[in-house]
Amino acid sequence: MKFPFIDTLEERSLQLNPAQPARRWRWLLPVLLVLLFLAVLLWLPWQAREMEANERQEQLIADTLWVEQTLRFELARDEEALASLGADLVISAPAAPALQARLAQMFKNGHELSRVLWLDAEGTTLATRGVEAADTTLTAASLMAGDNARRTRSGRYSDPYRAGGAATIDYHLPLFRNSVYVGSLVAKFNLKVLLDETVPWWFAHDNALSILDRDERPLAQRTDGGSGRGVYTHKHALDLPGAMVELATDSVKGAPRLLPNLLVGSVIALALGLLVSLATLWRHIARTLAAEGALRQQMAFRTAMENSLVTGLRARDLEGRVTYVNPAFCEMVGLPPDELLGKVPPMPYWAPEAMAEYEQRFANVLAGNITPQFETVFQHSSGRRVPVLVFEAPLVDSNGKQTGWMSSILDISDRKKAEDLNRRQEEKLQQGARLATMGEISSMLAHELNQPLAAISSYTAGALNVLGRAVDSGSAVDALLLQRALEQASTQAQRAGQIIKSVHEFVRKREPERKEVAMPSVIEGIRALIDLQARQAFVSVKVHLPPDLPPVHADRILLEQVLLNLTRNAIEAMAQIAPERRVLRIVAESSQGHVAVSVIDHGHGIPPDVAERLFSPFFSTKAEGMGMGLSICRTAIEFHGGTLTHTGNPGGGTVFTFTLPQQAEALA
Ligand code: ADP
């Protein structure tokens, strides 16, 4: 028979053994995710750094534009002052002191001014003021700017140049009266002073400022906060008509270091940590997989072992619920696992006649007392009884906590059959031996008595002949002849008596084993045999013996035979009654110099017609009965000077009682 249980185990082992590719691919996703995570982690600080750099750059550009505007505004103010002066000069030249006063006012407002020249149309200096007032020369670049100014009729700046080490730029404002060129005002600006005076300190502190010529050579610089790092730089042309001048700013701050470094450092540390934990996890999983593989092997091995076992295995939890059965157990009781698993008593394989026994044992199990080894009987689903030997042990989990009970169950049908056969054969042998002895005695008696009886018969026939002849002839009886015949007959009768006596002697000689016997030890000696028969018939045996029971003088073997016969009869008489009433009691007591032993059953009892012939040899009501048991018992008991009687049991059944004289009286 193949049970679904086995399939389930196979399926389970298949589920535990997934296809190799699936195992390989399941790593791909986490690895990809981890790589992506690392990439994002590395990209984030870079991106933050970029954003900050952009922000700083934008800030620098905005500040540079603002500074450029400020410079331009300052120069524009000077231009306006010059334009205003120029306009006045064209209309009418003021007196020299007044002109000087105006110029002084201009110098006061614009510190970047280092010199102002008033030239006439021919280039002759009409007035001059400034730190370099004495020097009225103009550079070629300045002269070129003057030409341009006159031509374009608007103010023009020269290309910057160095004058006495200072970066300088000239501004030419042409003066026209009625569209006729009447001269110029030439202002000379010190670019370094322009930077120093105009650019606010906080900007100069954070940035190195330079004014560059058209070849990008620095003309004037301001580096209050140190030289620029060259990281955040910006150049912007100063919008000066006629001149190519650029304002360059260079932040003293370098690229941000600490934060990105911290971020990168922490990312690297995190990544390393991640890799280490991944490696650990990997190793752990590899170990788990190896353990899983080993477990699968173990499972397969265990399944194969369980399937090949002929011993039934059954596990129960602490409530007695079946949690596991192996195929051998299923086969033993003829039920599939799903009809057994999860079942609580009464179990489907309990035989009705042994219900009380199971329930008693189950109550013990619940109370935590198990019988480590016991014999019982299970009922196969076909109704067949299966005698089994059960071994029980506590089921303990990996924490050492008891979770239930594990039983291994041996089918002992064959052993039982062999035992039964053995017992029957032994009984038959005993019966045979007894019969043989009786037969021996009978044939010996027949043989031995045949002769004297034949002789008696012929002597009495002879005597009758003598008497007949005398009656017929009317003559006197031959008394001598008659006497001799009767004497012979008497002799032969004595001989017959002798023979019977010798048989009696022979019987007496057969029990030289008589000695002091304690009844409890006799019962103890055959208790195993009684129990064996009782168990098979689900009969419980109870023995009540008073502790002060006196011994008897008897042949132990004969007493054993008597007890065995009586108990077997009692057990057989209870075969058809309700299992809970199958109780066999052996009770002993002593009274009036006798020891009385009663074998009490609750069997079918003895009807009067049976009772009449009960002790007759060869009387039996059983199909296979010999009818010799009780007869032999009575002979044996009477032989010991006792009696064997029976009465009805008031509770139903029969009581057989034999009495034996106590040891002292038997000897007396
Ligand atoms: P047998 O081998 O036939 O049992 P026994 O001499 O032992 O021979 O018994 C004779 C008969 O006496 C039995 O067949 C049975 O009918 C009856 N008998 C003996 N013991 C009991 C008993 N305890 N209860 C009822 N009937 C009994």
Side-chain angles (χ1 to χ4, degrees), residues 431 565-574 599-601 603-607 610-611 613-633 653-656:
Q431 283 171 351
N565 265 317
L566 295 181
T567 51
R568 194 197 55 200
N569 277 346
I571 290 168
E572 286 175 353
M574 289 190 282
V599 177
I600 307 163
D601 66 52
H604 51 64
I606 300 171
V610 174
R613 304 162 61 201
L614 203 62
F615 295 101
S616 313
F618 304 113
F619 169 75
S620 174
T621 59
K622 301 166 192 166
E624 288 176 17
M626 285 277 297
M628 287 302 294
L630 287 178
S631 153
I632 291 172
C633 286
T654 315
V655 181
F656 272 91

mmCIF file of all heavy atoms in Angstrom, residues 431 565-574 599-601 603-607 610-611 613-633 653-656, ligand 1:
data_model
loop_
_atom_site.group_PDB
_atom_site.id
_atom_site.type_symbol
_atom_site.label_atom_id
_atom_site.label_comp_id
_atom_site.label_asym_id
_atom_site.label_seq_id
_atom_site.Cartn_x
_atom_site.Cartn_y
_atom_site.Cartn_z
ATOM 1 N N GLN A 431 -1.764 -33.421 28.151
ATOM 2 C CA GLN A 431 -2.964 -34.257 28.119
ATOM 3 C C GLN A 431 -2.614 -35.650 27.605
ATOM 4 O O GLN A 431 -3.054 -36.680 28.131
ATOM 5 C CB GLN A 431 -4.015 -33.624 27.219
ATOM 6 C CG GLN A 431 -4.706 -32.465 27.914
ATOM 7 C CD GLN A 431 -5.584 -31.685 26.975
ATOM 8 O OE1 GLN A 431 -5.547 -31.907 25.769
ATOM 9 N NE2 GLN A 431 -6.347 -30.767 27.529
ATOM 10 N N ASN A 565 -5.756 -25.401 35.066
ATOM 11 C CA ASN A 565 -7.012 -25.891 34.487
ATOM 12 C C ASN A 565 -8.178 -25.011 34.890
ATOM 13 O O ASN A 565 -8.993 -24.619 34.057
ATOM 14 C CB ASN A 565 -7.287 -27.315 34.969
ATOM 15 C CG ASN A 565 -6.764 -28.330 33.959
ATOM 16 O OD1 ASN A 565 -6.946 -28.139 32.767
ATOM 17 N ND2 ASN A 565 -6.132 -29.374 34.447
ATOM 18 N N LEU A 566 -8.247 -24.711 36.202
ATOM 19 C CA LEU A 566 -9.382 -23.921 36.694
ATOM 20 C C LEU A 566 -9.361 -22.505 36.111
ATOM 21 O O LEU A 566 -10.395 -21.974 35.713
ATOM 22 C CB LEU A 566 -9.367 -23.864 38.227
ATOM 23 C CG LEU A 566 -9.589 -25.208 38.938
ATOM 24 C CD1 LEU A 566 -9.565 -25.014 40.461
ATOM 25 C CD2 LEU A 566 -10.924 -25.841 38.539
ATOM 26 N N THR A 567 -8.173 -21.901 36.062
ATOM 27 C CA THR A 567 -8.111 -20.529 35.532
ATOM 28 C C THR A 567 -8.407 -20.519 34.039
ATOM 29 O O THR A 567 -9.084 -19.620 33.541
ATOM 30 C CB THR A 567 -6.733 -19.880 35.786
ATOM 31 O OG1 THR A 567 -5.729 -20.765 35.318
ATOM 32 C CG2 THR A 567 -6.525 -19.581 37.252
ATOM 33 N N ARG A 568 -7.914 -21.520 33.316
ATOM 34 C CA ARG A 568 -8.177 -21.550 31.879
ATOM 35 C C ARG A 568 -9.682 -21.691 31.626
ATOM 36 O O ARG A 568 -10.252 -21.006 30.781
ATOM 37 C CB ARG A 568 -7.409 -22.697 31.211
ATOM 38 C CG ARG A 568 -7.378 -22.559 29.698
ATOM 39 C CD ARG A 568 -7.002 -23.833 29.025
ATOM 40 N NE ARG A 568 -7.897 -24.901 29.444
ATOM 41 C CZ ARG A 568 -7.635 -26.191 29.341
ATOM 42 N NH1 ARG A 568 -6.477 -26.586 28.864
ATOM 43 N NH2 ARG A 568 -8.503 -27.097 29.729
ATOM 44 N N ASN A 569 -10.335 -22.598 32.379
ATOM 45 C CA ASN A 569 -11.790 -22.747 32.241
ATOM 46 C C ASN A 569 -12.492 -21.428 32.520
ATOM 47 O O ASN A 569 -13.413 -21.044 31.803
ATOM 48 C CB ASN A 569 -12.310 -23.797 33.233
ATOM 49 C CG ASN A 569 -12.137 -25.208 32.681
ATOM 50 O OD1 ASN A 569 -11.875 -25.379 31.503
ATOM 51 N ND2 ASN A 569 -12.267 -26.212 33.541
ATOM 52 N N ALA A 570 -12.034 -20.748 33.583
ATOM 53 C CA ALA A 570 -12.685 -19.490 33.968
ATOM 54 C C ALA A 570 -12.527 -18.445 32.864
ATOM 55 O O ALA A 570 -13.475 -17.742 32.509
ATOM 56 C CB ALA A 570 -12.077 -18.977 35.270
ATOM 57 N N ILE A 571 -11.296 -18.330 32.309
ATOM 58 C CA ILE A 571 -11.047 -17.343 31.240
ATOM 59 C C ILE A 571 -11.904 -17.666 30.017
ATOM 60 O O ILE A 571 -12.537 -16.785 29.418
ATOM 61 C CB ILE A 571 -9.545 -17.312 30.881
ATOM 62 C CG1 ILE A 571 -8.761 -16.677 32.046
ATOM 63 C CG2 ILE A 571 -9.288 -16.547 29.594
ATOM 64 C CD1 ILE A 571 -7.262 -16.834 31.953
ATOM 65 N N GLU A 572 -11.955 -18.968 29.674
ATOM 66 C CA GLU A 572 -12.738 -19.362 28.498
ATOM 67 C C GLU A 572 -14.229 -19.094 28.716
ATOM 68 O O GLU A 572 -14.947 -18.737 27.788
ATOM 69 C CB GLU A 572 -12.491 -20.834 28.176
ATOM 70 C CG GLU A 572 -11.109 -21.063 27.534
ATOM 71 C CD GLU A 572 -10.773 -22.531 27.310
ATOM 72 O OE1 GLU A 572 -11.543 -23.393 27.777
ATOM 73 O OE2 GLU A 572 -9.735 -22.806 26.674
ATOM 74 N N ALA A 573 -14.671 -19.220 29.964
ATOM 75 C CA ALA A 573 -16.089 -19.001 30.246
ATOM 76 C C ALA A 573 -16.474 -17.527 30.091
ATOM 77 O O ALA A 573 -17.642 -17.200 29.936
ATOM 78 C CB ALA A 573 -16.418 -19.479 31.665
ATOM 79 N N MET A 574 -15.449 -16.611 30.132
ATOM 80 C CA MET A 574 -15.773 -15.177 30.061
ATOM 81 C C MET A 574 -15.593 -14.609 28.659
ATOM 82 O O MET A 574 -15.679 -13.389 28.469
ATOM 83 C CB MET A 574 -14.900 -14.389 31.048
ATOM 84 C CG MET A 574 -15.280 -14.638 32.487
ATOM 85 S SD MET A 574 -14.448 -13.515 33.623
ATOM 86 C CE MET A 574 -12.847 -14.244 33.701
ATOM 87 N N VAL A 599 -11.317 -20.033 42.558
ATOM 88 C CA VAL A 599 -11.095 -19.382 41.263
ATOM 89 C C VAL A 599 -12.470 -18.871 40.830
ATOM 90 O O VAL A 599 -13.376 -19.670 40.588
ATOM 91 C CB VAL A 599 -10.500 -20.373 40.244
ATOM 92 C CG1 VAL A 599 -10.354 -19.704 38.891
ATOM 93 C CG2 VAL A 599 -9.148 -20.872 40.741
ATOM 94 N N ILE A 600 -12.593 -17.517 40.767
ATOM 95 C CA ILE A 600 -13.925 -16.926 40.595
ATOM 96 C C ILE A 600 -14.003 -16.207 39.256
ATOM 97 O O ILE A 600 -13.109 -15.411 38.923
ATOM 98 C CB ILE A 600 -14.212 -15.916 41.730
ATOM 99 C CG1 ILE A 600 -13.974 -16.602 43.076
ATOM 100 C CG2 ILE A 600 -15.610 -15.341 41.638
ATOM 101 C CD1 ILE A 600 -13.818 -15.659 44.246
ATOM 102 N N ASP A 601 -15.057 -16.519 38.500
ATOM 103 C CA ASP A 601 -15.215 -15.817 37.224
ATOM 104 C C ASP A 601 -16.614 -15.230 37.118
ATOM 105 O O ASP A 601 -17.467 -15.477 37.964
ATOM 106 C CB ASP A 601 -14.918 -16.753 36.048
ATOM 107 C CG ASP A 601 -15.910 -17.881 35.926
ATOM 108 O OD1 ASP A 601 -17.151 -17.604 35.896
ATOM 109 O OD2 ASP A 601 -15.482 -19.048 35.876
ATOM 110 N N GLY A 603 -18.258 -15.669 34.211
ATOM 111 C CA GLY A 603 -18.568 -16.297 32.910
ATOM 112 C C GLY A 603 -20.025 -16.713 32.779
ATOM 113 O O GLY A 603 -20.901 -16.218 33.502
ATOM 114 N N HIS A 604 -20.244 -17.648 31.852
ATOM 115 C CA HIS A 604 -21.635 -18.024 31.536
ATOM 116 C C HIS A 604 -22.284 -18.924 32.588
ATOM 117 O O HIS A 604 -23.475 -19.203 32.534
ATOM 118 C CB HIS A 604 -21.718 -18.686 30.152
ATOM 119 C CG HIS A 604 -20.736 -19.805 29.970
ATOM 120 N ND1 HIS A 604 -20.761 -20.961 30.689
ATOM 121 C CD2 HIS A 604 -19.671 -19.913 29.131
ATOM 122 C CE1 HIS A 604 -19.775 -21.754 30.304
ATOM 123 N NE2 HIS A 604 -19.092 -21.132 29.355
ATOM 124 N N GLY A 605 -21.488 -19.367 33.552
ATOM 125 C CA GLY A 605 -22.067 -20.202 34.615
ATOM 126 C C GLY A 605 -22.272 -21.657 34.166
ATOM 127 O O GLY A 605 -21.979 -22.005 33.011
ATOM 128 N N ILE A 606 -22.749 -22.494 35.089
ATOM 129 C CA ILE A 606 -22.915 -23.931 34.776
ATOM 130 C C ILE A 606 -24.378 -24.317 34.976
ATOM 131 O O ILE A 606 -24.895 -24.281 36.095
ATOM 132 C CB ILE A 606 -22.004 -24.786 35.675
ATOM 133 C CG1 ILE A 606 -20.539 -24.367 35.437
ATOM 134 C CG2 ILE A 606 -22.185 -26.274 35.400
ATOM 135 C CD1 ILE A 606 -19.569 -24.968 36.408
ATOM 136 N N PRO A 607 -25.063 -24.666 33.877
ATOM 137 C CA PRO A 607 -26.459 -25.096 34.031
ATOM 138 C C PRO A 607 -26.534 -26.467 34.727
ATOM 139 O O PRO A 607 -25.551 -27.224 34.696
ATOM 140 C CB PRO A 607 -26.964 -25.153 32.587
ATOM 141 C CG PRO A 607 -25.763 -25.153 31.713
ATOM 142 C CD PRO A 607 -24.615 -24.612 32.489
ATOM 143 N N VAL A 610 -25.325 -29.677 33.007
ATOM 144 C CA VAL A 610 -23.865 -29.757 32.855
ATOM 145 C C VAL A 610 -23.250 -30.104 34.205
ATOM 146 O O VAL A 610 -22.325 -30.913 34.287
ATOM 147 C CB VAL A 610 -23.311 -28.424 32.294
ATOM 148 C CG1 VAL A 610 -21.794 -28.432 32.270
ATOM 149 C CG2 VAL A 610 -23.855 -28.163 30.891
ATOM 150 N N ALA A 611 -23.802 -29.467 35.262
ATOM 151 C CA ALA A 611 -23.241 -29.662 36.600
ATOM 152 C C ALA A 611 -23.222 -31.149 36.980
ATOM 153 O O ALA A 611 -22.269 -31.612 37.617
ATOM 154 C CB ALA A 611 -24.043 -28.865 37.618
ATOM 155 N N ARG A 613 -22.694 -33.719 35.189
ATOM 156 C CA ARG A 613 -21.650 -34.538 34.550
ATOM 157 C C ARG A 613 -20.295 -33.846 34.543
ATOM 158 O O ARG A 613 -19.374 -34.269 33.840
ATOM 159 C CB ARG A 613 -22.090 -34.837 33.112
ATOM 160 C CG ARG A 613 -23.454 -35.508 33.088
ATOM 161 C CD ARG A 613 -24.078 -35.418 31.715
ATOM 162 N NE ARG A 613 -23.261 -36.098 30.724
ATOM 163 C CZ ARG A 613 -23.345 -35.846 29.416
ATOM 164 N NH1 ARG A 613 -24.191 -34.936 28.974
ATOM 165 N NH2 ARG A 613 -22.578 -36.504 28.576
ATOM 166 N N LEU A 614 -20.219 -32.799 35.310
ATOM 167 C CA LEU A 614 -19.049 -31.917 35.228
ATOM 168 C C LEU A 614 -17.722 -32.645 35.417
ATOM 169 O O LEU A 614 -16.762 -32.425 34.680
ATOM 170 C CB LEU A 614 -19.191 -30.833 36.301
ATOM 171 C CG LEU A 614 -18.426 -29.544 36.079
ATOM 172 C CD1 LEU A 614 -18.903 -28.865 34.812
ATOM 173 C CD2 LEU A 614 -18.662 -28.604 37.262
ATOM 174 N N PHE A 615 -17.682 -33.530 36.398
ATOM 175 C CA PHE A 615 -16.403 -34.169 36.723
ATOM 176 C C PHE A 615 -16.220 -35.507 36.021
ATOM 177 O O PHE A 615 -15.241 -36.200 36.277
ATOM 178 C CB PHE A 615 -16.279 -34.325 38.251
ATOM 179 C CG PHE A 615 -16.210 -33.010 38.963
ATOM 180 C CD1 PHE A 615 -17.339 -32.489 39.591
ATOM 181 C CD2 PHE A 615 -15.039 -32.274 38.989
ATOM 182 C CE1 PHE A 615 -17.282 -31.260 40.233
ATOM 183 C CE2 PHE A 615 -14.976 -31.060 39.634
ATOM 184 C CZ PHE A 615 -16.107 -30.542 40.254
ATOM 185 N N SER A 616 -17.165 -35.843 35.159
ATOM 186 C CA SER A 616 -17.004 -37.108 34.428
ATOM 187 C C SER A 616 -15.903 -36.952 33.394
ATOM 188 O O SER A 616 -15.828 -35.928 32.718
ATOM 189 C CB SER A 616 -18.290 -37.461 33.677
ATOM 190 O OG SER A 616 -19.377 -37.308 34.528
ATOM 191 N N PRO A 617 -15.054 -38.000 33.288
ATOM 192 C CA PRO A 617 -13.994 -37.916 32.265
ATOM 193 C C PRO A 617 -14.619 -37.783 30.880
ATOM 194 O O PRO A 617 -15.679 -38.342 30.612
ATOM 195 C CB PRO A 617 -13.231 -39.222 32.417
ATOM 196 C CG PRO A 617 -13.608 -39.762 33.736
ATOM 197 C CD PRO A 617 -14.975 -39.256 34.049
ATOM 198 N N PHE A 618 -13.957 -37.085 30.064
ATOM 199 C CA PHE A 618 -14.341 -36.886 28.656
ATOM 200 C C PHE A 618 -15.657 -36.136 28.486
ATOM 201 O O PHE A 618 -16.238 -36.148 27.426
ATOM 202 C CB PHE A 618 -14.388 -38.220 27.887
ATOM 203 C CG PHE A 618 -13.082 -38.959 27.964
ATOM 204 C CD1 PHE A 618 -12.999 -40.163 28.664
ATOM 205 C CD2 PHE A 618 -11.943 -38.440 27.390
ATOM 206 C CE1 PHE A 618 -11.780 -40.826 28.755
ATOM 207 C CE2 PHE A 618 -10.737 -39.100 27.485
ATOM 208 C CZ PHE A 618 -10.640 -40.307 28.174
ATOM 209 N N PHE A 619 -16.090 -35.425 29.524
ATOM 210 C CA PHE A 619 -17.285 -34.591 29.344
ATOM 211 C C PHE A 619 -16.829 -33.147 29.080
ATOM 212 O O PHE A 619 -16.079 -32.555 29.861
ATOM 213 C CB PHE A 619 -18.191 -34.601 30.582
ATOM 214 C CG PHE A 619 -19.270 -33.547 30.480
ATOM 215 C CD1 PHE A 619 -20.372 -33.746 29.617
ATOM 216 C CD2 PHE A 619 -19.175 -32.331 31.154
ATOM 217 C CE1 PHE A 619 -21.347 -32.754 29.498
ATOM 218 C CE2 PHE A 619 -20.146 -31.355 31.020
ATOM 219 C CZ PHE A 619 -21.240 -31.573 30.188
ATOM 220 N N SER A 620 -17.304 -32.602 27.948
ATOM 221 C CA SER A 620 -16.951 -31.225 27.597
ATOM 222 C C SER A 620 -18.086 -30.599 26.813
ATOM 223 O O SER A 620 -18.778 -31.284 26.072
ATOM 224 C CB SER A 620 -15.673 -31.219 26.745
ATOM 225 O OG SER A 620 -15.430 -29.915 26.302
ATOM 226 N N THR A 621 -18.292 -29.298 27.017
ATOM 227 C CA THR A 621 -19.295 -28.594 26.209
ATOM 228 C C THR A 621 -18.610 -27.771 25.122
ATOM 229 O O THR A 621 -19.255 -27.027 24.403
ATOM 230 C CB THR A 621 -20.124 -27.650 27.087
ATOM 231 O OG1 THR A 621 -19.236 -26.724 27.709
ATOM 232 C CG2 THR A 621 -20.932 -28.394 28.118
ATOM 233 N N LYS A 622 -17.274 -27.895 25.064
ATOM 234 C CA LYS A 622 -16.525 -27.081 24.095
ATOM 235 C C LYS A 622 -16.213 -27.899 22.863
ATOM 236 O O LYS A 622 -15.992 -29.111 22.962
ATOM 237 C CB LYS A 622 -15.210 -26.588 24.716
ATOM 238 C CG LYS A 622 -15.453 -25.764 25.963
ATOM 239 C CD LYS A 622 -14.175 -25.578 26.743
ATOM 240 C CE LYS A 622 -14.493 -25.007 28.119
ATOM 241 N NZ LYS A 622 -13.359 -25.103 29.021
ATOM 242 N N ALA A 623 -16.169 -27.191 21.726
ATOM 243 C CA ALA A 623 -15.956 -27.879 20.451
ATOM 244 C C ALA A 623 -14.640 -28.642 20.461
ATOM 245 O O ALA A 623 -14.555 -29.770 19.983
ATOM 246 C CB ALA A 623 -15.969 -26.860 19.314
ATOM 247 N N GLU A 624 -13.605 -28.005 21.068
ATOM 248 C CA GLU A 624 -12.299 -28.663 21.057
ATOM 249 C C GLU A 624 -11.923 -29.193 22.444
ATOM 250 O O GLU A 624 -10.764 -29.466 22.725
ATOM 251 C CB GLU A 624 -11.227 -27.670 20.590
ATOM 252 C CG GLU A 624 -11.331 -27.358 19.109
ATOM 253 C CD GLU A 624 -10.327 -26.302 18.664
ATOM 254 O OE1 GLU A 624 -9.353 -26.054 19.416
ATOM 255 O OE2 GLU A 624 -10.535 -25.745 17.600
ATOM 256 N N GLY A 625 -12.898 -29.268 23.333
ATOM 257 C CA GLY A 625 -12.595 -29.678 24.705
ATOM 258 C C GLY A 625 -12.327 -31.179 24.803
ATOM 259 O O GLY A 625 -12.886 -31.976 24.061
ATOM 260 N N MET A 626 -11.446 -31.513 25.767
ATOM 261 C CA MET A 626 -11.137 -32.924 26.005
ATOM 262 C C MET A 626 -12.048 -33.506 27.089
ATOM 263 O O MET A 626 -12.272 -34.709 27.155
ATOM 264 C CB MET A 626 -9.688 -33.050 26.504
ATOM 265 C CG MET A 626 -8.654 -32.877 25.432
ATOM 266 S SD MET A 626 -8.384 -34.391 24.525
ATOM 267 C CE MET A 626 -7.764 -35.440 25.799
ATOM 268 N N GLY A 627 -12.485 -32.606 27.960
ATOM 269 C CA GLY A 627 -13.351 -33.066 29.038
ATOM 270 C C GLY A 627 -12.601 -33.808 30.132
ATOM 271 O O GLY A 627 -13.199 -34.513 30.944
ATOM 272 N N MET A 628 -11.295 -33.660 30.203
ATOM 273 C CA MET A 628 -10.517 -34.379 31.217
ATOM 274 C C MET A 628 -10.051 -33.466 32.346
ATOM 275 O O MET A 628 -9.639 -33.942 33.402
ATOM 276 C CB MET A 628 -9.279 -35.017 30.560
ATOM 277 C CG MET A 628 -9.593 -36.208 29.691
ATOM 278 S SD MET A 628 -10.432 -37.500 30.615
ATOM 279 C CE MET A 628 -9.168 -37.995 31.750
ATOM 280 N N GLY A 629 -10.066 -32.148 32.079
ATOM 281 C CA GLY A 629 -9.486 -31.180 33.017
ATOM 282 C C GLY A 629 -10.024 -31.328 34.421
ATOM 283 O O GLY A 629 -9.266 -31.566 35.378
ATOM 284 N N LEU A 630 -11.329 -31.194 34.593
ATOM 285 C CA LEU A 630 -11.924 -31.201 35.937
ATOM 286 C C LEU A 630 -11.771 -32.567 36.588
ATOM 287 O O LEU A 630 -11.552 -32.676 37.801
ATOM 288 C CB LEU A 630 -13.382 -30.781 35.864
ATOM 289 C CG LEU A 630 -13.605 -29.288 35.592
ATOM 290 C CD1 LEU A 630 -15.086 -28.974 35.485
ATOM 291 C CD2 LEU A 630 -12.965 -28.443 36.690
ATOM 292 N N SER A 631 -11.885 -33.580 35.744
ATOM 293 C CA SER A 631 -11.754 -34.944 36.265
ATOM 294 C C SER A 631 -10.375 -35.144 36.887
ATOM 295 O O SER A 631 -10.240 -35.628 38.013
ATOM 296 C CB SER A 631 -12.020 -35.910 35.108
ATOM 297 O OG SER A 631 -11.366 -37.102 35.304
ATOM 298 N N ILE A 632 -9.352 -34.733 36.169
ATOM 299 C CA ILE A 632 -7.984 -34.877 36.680
ATOM 300 C C ILE A 632 -7.813 -34.011 37.931
ATOM 301 O O ILE A 632 -7.205 -34.435 38.918
ATOM 302 C CB ILE A 632 -6.955 -34.503 35.585
ATOM 303 C CG1 ILE A 632 -6.975 -35.559 34.481
ATOM 304 C CG2 ILE A 632 -5.555 -34.355 36.171
ATOM 305 C CD1 ILE A 632 -6.160 -35.226 33.261
ATOM 306 N N CYS A 633 -8.389 -32.789 37.867
ATOM 307 C CA CYS A 633 -8.262 -31.878 39.008
ATOM 308 C C CYS A 633 -8.829 -32.533 40.267
ATOM 309 O O CYS A 633 -8.199 -32.517 41.335
ATOM 310 C CB CYS A 633 -9.035 -30.589 38.756
ATOM 311 S SG CYS A 633 -8.210 -29.523 37.591
ATOM 312 N N GLY A 653 -21.613 -16.082 36.931
ATOM 313 C CA GLY A 653 -20.408 -16.880 36.718
ATOM 314 C C GLY A 653 -20.313 -18.008 37.740
ATOM 315 O O GLY A 653 -21.305 -18.393 38.361
ATOM 316 N N THR A 654 -19.109 -18.513 37.891
ATOM 317 C CA THR A 654 -18.918 -19.720 38.703
ATOM 318 C C THR A 654 -17.749 -19.531 39.657
ATOM 319 O O THR A 654 -16.822 -18.791 39.348
ATOM 320 C CB THR A 654 -18.612 -20.932 37.773
ATOM 321 O OG1 THR A 654 -19.523 -20.884 36.680
ATOM 322 C CG2 THR A 654 -18.748 -22.242 38.497
ATOM 323 N N VAL A 655 -17.845 -20.226 40.807
ATOM 324 C CA VAL A 655 -16.721 -20.248 41.755
ATOM 325 C C VAL A 655 -16.301 -21.704 41.922
ATOM 326 O O VAL A 655 -17.111 -22.540 42.305
ATOM 327 C CB VAL A 655 -17.132 -19.676 43.129
ATOM 328 C CG1 VAL A 655 -15.941 -19.695 44.087
ATOM 329 C CG2 VAL A 655 -17.691 -18.276 42.989
ATOM 330 N N PHE A 656 -15.054 -22.000 41.544
ATOM 331 C CA PHE A 656 -14.492 -23.337 41.792
ATOM 332 C C PHE A 656 -13.589 -23.212 43.002
ATOM 333 O O PHE A 656 -12.723 -22.340 43.052
ATOM 334 C CB PHE A 656 -13.677 -23.815 40.585
ATOM 335 C CG PHE A 656 -14.521 -24.541 39.572
ATOM 336 C CD1 PHE A 656 -15.112 -23.849 38.529
ATOM 337 C CD2 PHE A 656 -14.737 -25.917 39.668
ATOM 338 C CE1 PHE A 656 -15.894 -24.506 37.601
ATOM 339 C CE2 PHE A 656 -15.528 -26.569 38.749
ATOM 340 C CZ PHE A 656 -16.116 -25.874 37.699
HETATM 341 P P1 ADP B 1 -12.802 -29.076 28.935
HETATM 342 O O1 ADP B 1 -11.473 -29.369 28.483
HETATM 343 O O2 ADP B 1 -13.844 -29.513 28.022
HETATM 344 O O3 ADP B 1 -12.980 -27.695 29.347
HETATM 345 P P2 ADP B 1 -13.145 -29.583 31.689
HETATM 346 O O4 ADP B 1 -13.221 -30.811 32.506
HETATM 347 O O5 ADP B 1 -12.133 -28.602 32.021
HETATM 348 O O6 ADP B 1 -13.006 -29.997 30.165
HETATM 349 O O7 ADP B 1 -14.576 -28.938 31.834
HETATM 350 C C1 ADP B 1 -15.747 -29.636 31.525
HETATM 351 C C2 ADP B 1 -16.885 -28.698 31.265
HETATM 352 O O8 ADP B 1 -17.222 -28.051 32.431
HETATM 353 C C3 ADP B 1 -16.558 -27.660 30.275
HETATM 354 O O9 ADP B 1 -16.724 -28.114 28.945
HETATM 355 C C4 ADP B 1 -17.505 -26.571 30.638
HETATM 356 O O10 ADP B 1 -18.740 -26.777 30.001
HETATM 357 C C5 ADP B 1 -17.704 -26.759 32.114
HETATM 358 N N1 ADP B 1 -16.934 -25.801 32.893
HETATM 359 C C6 ADP B 1 -15.744 -25.986 33.482
HETATM 360 N N2 ADP B 1 -15.356 -24.899 34.139
HETATM 361 C C7 ADP B 1 -16.327 -23.993 33.972
HETATM 362 C C8 ADP B 1 -16.539 -22.651 34.422
HETATM 363 N N3 ADP B 1 -15.635 -21.998 35.162
HETATM 364 N N4 ADP B 1 -17.662 -22.021 34.057
HETATM 365 C C9 ADP B 1 -18.575 -22.642 33.313
HETATM 366 N N5 ADP B 1 -18.461 -23.896 32.848
HETATM 367 C C10 ADP B 1 -17.360 -24.590 33.182
#
